[in-house]
């Protein structure tokens, strides 16, 4: 909601969007049978026009977290943070920036398995070329 406030939206619009995103439930249908309803804890409903707008607002300032030689490539719903890595210090700097972005700036609630997926994987031959 803080990003919406930063765009200086009226409080009643922010409250309406918050209501749109909270207290949602979902269920699935498999072979004609429905599951029990389950509470949706996070995320934006896919396929909604408001969902697309919120996504654009959410990712609009991604490039602001980049510094020095770290760059970000944005396309549709994809974001790639990258830099030219010449040594271990460059790799570590990029990793710290990625972690800071994903774990603090976006306030993602990631479990350890997901966080390890995001973690930069060092190529086997990286150290041999340094």
């Amino acid at each position: 909601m803080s990003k919406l406030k930063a765009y200086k939206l009226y409080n009643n619009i922010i409250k309406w969007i918050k209501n749109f995103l909270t207290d949602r439930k979902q269920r699935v249908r498999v072979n004609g049978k429905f599951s029990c309803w389950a509470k949706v804890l996070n995320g934006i409903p896919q396929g909604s026009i408001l969902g697309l707008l919120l996504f654009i607002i959410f990712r609009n300032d991604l490039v602001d977290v980049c510094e020095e030689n770290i760059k970000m490539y944005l396309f549709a719903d994809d974001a790639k943070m990258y830099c030219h890595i010449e040594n271990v210090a460059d790799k570590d700097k990029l990793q710290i920036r990625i972690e800071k972005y994903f774990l603090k700036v976006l306030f993602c609630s990631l479990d350890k398995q997901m966080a390890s997926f995001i973690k930069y994987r060092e190529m086997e031959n990286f150290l041999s070329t340094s």
Side-chain angles (χ1 to χ4, degrees):
M1 296 298 126
S2 61
K3 284 195 177 196
L4 297 176
K5 290 177 184 176
Y7 278 89
K8 299 185 184 249
L9 294 176
Y10 293 113
N11 285 335
N12 58 346
I13 293 174
I14 294 172
K15 187 187 281 186
W16 181 79
I17 291 171
K18 185 175 180 180
N19 287 336
F20 174 74
L21 297 174
T22 55
D23 296 325
R24 293 180 292 120
K25 294 182 179 180
Q26 67 183 17
R27 65 181 180 169
V28 296
R29 184 173 70 176
V30 178
N31 295 329
K33 295 187 180 189
F34 287 96
S35 68
C36 296
W37 286 98
K39 190 172 185 173
V40 178
L41 301 176
N42 55 33
I44 296 174
Q46 293 182 349
S48 66
I49 293 171
L50 183 57
L52 178 60
L53 177 64
L54 291 173
F55 174 77
I56 291 169
I57 289 170
F58 185 69
R59 73 136 218 204
N60 201 32
D61 60 354
L62 291 179
V63 294
D64 294 343
V65 301
C66 295
E67 59 186 32
E68 293 180 29
N69 67 336
I70 299 174
K71 301 195 180 341
M72 181 159 305
Y73 173 75
L74 301 174
F75 181 77
D77 65 346
D78 192 26
K80 294 185 185 344
M81 192 177 291
Y82 64 96
C83 72
H84 182 75
I85 296 176
E86 295 179 359
N87 52 47
V88 174
D90 289 344
K91 179 206 52 100
D92 292 342
K93 190 176 199 178
L94 178 61
Q95 183 60 46
I96 289 167
R97 179 52 57 188
I98 290 169
E99 289 173 0
K100 184 175 183 180
Y101 172 74
F102 280 103
L103 301 177
K104 294 180 182 169
V105 175
L106 290 181
F107 305 101
C108 290
S109 55
L110 302 175
D111 59 24
K112 289 188 181 218
Q113 184 179 12
M114 185 61 173
S116 66
F117 174 76
I118 290 172
K119 197 156 178 98
Y120 174 81
R121 289 185 358 171
E122 202 171 339
M123 308 239 333
E124 288 181 14
N125 64 355
F126 176 77
L127 292 176
S128 65
T129 60
S130 300

